[in-house]
Amino acid sequence: MTTIPDTDAITQLPERFQARIEGRVQHRVGDGPLDDIPKGQEVQVDVALASMVVSWTSEGQPVTVTLAREEFMYYVDEGSIAILR
C-alpha cells in the first residue's frame, strides 16, 4: 500500500491550502488576454501535477484558474500572494 504525502515535495506546501492575493496576480482566460485576480481576495489553492489550481467565489459564482507552479511561486516570492495555510 502506497501512502500519499500530505505536502507537495517540490513546493513544500500542503496539497490544499488558503492564500490571499496581496498584489497584482494575473492569469490567462483560455487563449484570451490576461486578467487580474482581485487584490485582497482569499483563495483556496490545490496543488496539481505541474500547476496550482486557484479558486474563489465572485458574486456567488465559483471561479477557478490555473497558474503554472513556477508562476505561482514567483508571485509568492515577490509578495503578491500570501500563503495563509
Side-chain angles (χ1 to χ4, degrees), residues 27-41:
H27 65 96
R28 188 169 306 281
V29 181
D31 291 332
L34 289 171
D35 195 13
D36 291 336
I37 298 175
K39 188 175 177 182
Q41 180 71 53

Side-chain angles (χ1 to χ4, degrees), residues 41 56-63:
Q41 180 71 53
W56 68 95
T57 302
S58 177
E59 298 178 5
Q61 298 297 314
V63 179

Side-chain angles (χ1 to χ4, degrees), residues 14-75:
E15 290 181 7
R16 173 176 277 182
F17 58 92
Q18 299 294 314
R20 184 176 40 253
I21 306 303
E22 298 286 347
R24 189 170 193 188
V25 176
Q26 295 186 306
H27 65 96
R28 188 169 306 281
V29 181
D31 291 332
L34 289 171
D35 195 13
D36 291 336
I37 298 175
K39 188 175 177 182
Q41 180 71 53
E42 288 198 14
V43 297
Q44 177 176 300
V45 182
D46 293 288
V47 178
L49 186 59
S51 60
M52 309 299 254
V53 180
V54 180
S55 57
W56 68 95
T57 302
S58 177
E59 298 178 5
Q61 298 297 314
V63 179
T64 302
V65 301
T66 303
L67 298 174
R69 185 184 308 257
E70 295 80 17
E71 182 180 21
F72 181 89
M73 295 310 295
Y74 168 80
Y75 284 127

